[in-house]
Amino acid sequence: MAEKTGNKGFSLLLVLLFGAFAVLALFPLFALLLASFKPASELFRYGLNVRLDFDVMTLANYKMIFSGKGGSQNYFDWYRNSLVITLLFTFLCLLLSSMVGYGLAMYRFKGRALVFTLVLAVMMIPVEIIILPLYKLSIDLLIINSIWGVILPFVVAPLPIFFFRQFAIGLPKDFMDAGRIDGCTEFGIFFRIMVPLMLPAFGAMTILQALFSWNNFLWPVIVLRSTEKFTLPIGLSGLLSPTSNNYEVLLAGSIMTIIPILVLFLFFQRFFIAGLTVGGVKG
């Protein structure tokens, strides 16, 4: 009886602790949401806060975005560009990285250990170090100021390769032998047998890579030059300048950028949790 009471008390303590962390984590987002309904004069007077003043709260900031005012005339072009780049990048990254990770895990070939060591080494190199050679390479390939210039340099990334390799290494190789006996090709074994078994890994990497592409700022701001080709992070940052600070449009536009990632997480959250859990204990 005393043990059950102790367990209930510990569970209640954990709930209160995680609840407090959740409130702290969500506070900036809640303050941003409320501020997006307030005029700029209120923002300069009180800053970001959680004051519920319904007399001053309005939809005018969102109306400015839809009407193209306050520097937001290209807002939906930026939104479309971010969606296209994120969809293409995530699809290609998952396809190529999963094939590389699967190959490193399931096939024995000369140089496999060296390739995997190089993948681990690349994970430890800060992206800022390779920016200049990547920029020169992009100029040579004539992909500057295009969506392919944003996508291609990072489409095969070391982290997804490592994650897929760690996940695939725990899959039974008997399925591969059974597929070969049935006349399936190596690509057929991968796409028809192994990919369904790797769905949790795909779910986890879909969220992480889509989030990376959606929020990526440094490389797109170097590659993209035309205003109509900007992504959301670049376009929104341009709303603040020495001559015009459209804070109210920036806040409302930032809130709307959350929607695609939120929908993606709600759709893949079951695979995301399963993928991180299983992938984290295999190796």
Side-chain angles (χ1 to χ4, degrees):
M1 183 66 181
E3 185 178 354
K4 289 184 178 180
T5 305
N7 290 336
K8 288 183 179 178
F10 182 70
S11 299
L12 179 61
L13 180 63
L14 283 180
V15 170
L16 293 176
L17 184 62
F18 288 132
F21 284 139
V23 171
L24 288 175
L26 292 175
F27 178 81
L29 178 60
F30 185 58
L32 180 66
L33 178 63
L34 291 183
S36 69
F37 292 101
K38 298 177 181 177
S41 58
E42 290 292 316
L43 297 176
F44 287 115
R45 185 180 305 173
Y46 300 109
L48 289 180
N49 58 73
V50 291
R51 293 176 67 249
L52 282 171
D53 191 350
F54 293 105
D55 292 333
V56 299
M57 294 176 70
T58 172
L59 293 173
N61 298 339
Y62 291 92
K63 291 180 180 177
M64 289 178 68
I65 291 178
F66 282 93
S67 61
K69 298 179 180 177
S72 63
Q73 59 271 21
N74 295 113
Y75 180 78
F76 290 103
D77 291 333
W78 305 334
Y79 215 106
R80 182 199 58 210
N81 295 338
S82 286
L83 282 175
V84 171
I85 289 174
T86 298
L87 288 173
L88 287 175
F89 173 83
T90 306
F91 173 76
L92 293 175
C93 181
L94 292 181
L95 175 65
L96 300 176
S97 300
S98 63
M99 294 177 71
V100 176
Y102 169 78
L104 289 173
M106 308 301 278
Y107 293 95
R108 294 190 176 277
F109 55 89
K110 190 176 181 179
R112 184 179 73 157
L114 176 61
V115 173
F116 184 59
T117 303
L118 290 175
V119 170
L120 295 179
V122 172
M123 286 177 63
M124 303 173 191
I125 299 176
V127 67
E128 290 80 4
I129 293 179
I130 60 175
I131 285 293
L132 183 57
L134 277 180
Y135 182 69
K136 290 183 176 178
L137 181 62
S138 300
I139 294 176
D140 294 338
L141 294 176
L142 303 177
I143 56 176
I144 289 292
N145 200 29
S146 70
I147 61 171
W148 297 111
V150 179
I151 294 172
L152 292 181
F154 298 96
V155 77
V156 180
L159 176 61
I161 292 175
F162 174 77
F163 188 83
F164 279 114
R165 186 259 183 192
Q166 292 302 102
F167 194 93
I169 207 170
L171 298 177
K173 294 185 178 179
D174 294 342
F175 290 160
M176 299 175 67
D177 297 332
R180 292 184 184 117
I181 293 173
D182 290 339
C184 204
T185 64
E186 296 302 318
F187 281 102
I189 292 173
F190 175 69
F191 286 107
R192 299 174 64 180
I193 299 176
M194 291 303 178
V195 166
L197 297 176
M198 297 168 66
L199 282 182
F202 278 97
M205 281 297 105
T206 296
I207 292 178
L208 293 179
Q209 294 307 307
L211 190 61
F212 164 77
S213 178
W214 188 256
N215 293 330
N216 193 13
F217 177 81
L218 178 61
W219 180 245
V221 81
I222 294 173
V223 174
L224 300 176
R225 297 170 180 173
S226 305
T227 304
E228 64 273 13
K229 293 185 178 180
F230 282 175
T231 57
L232 273 171
I234 305 173
L236 289 175
S237 68
L239 295 177
L240 302 181
S241 67
T243 56
S244 62
N245 292 325
N246 301 306
Y247 282 102
E248 65 277 28
V249 181
L250 173 63
L251 295 178
S254 300
I255 286 295
M256 292 177 62
T257 65
I258 300 172
I259 297 173
I261 294 300
L262 185 62
V263 172
L264 184 71
F265 182 78
L266 292 176
F267 187 75
F268 284 101
Q269 62 173 334
R270 180 166 59 90
F271 297 112
F272 178 73
I273 296 171
L276 291 184
T277 304
V278 178
V281 297
K282 287 182 177 179

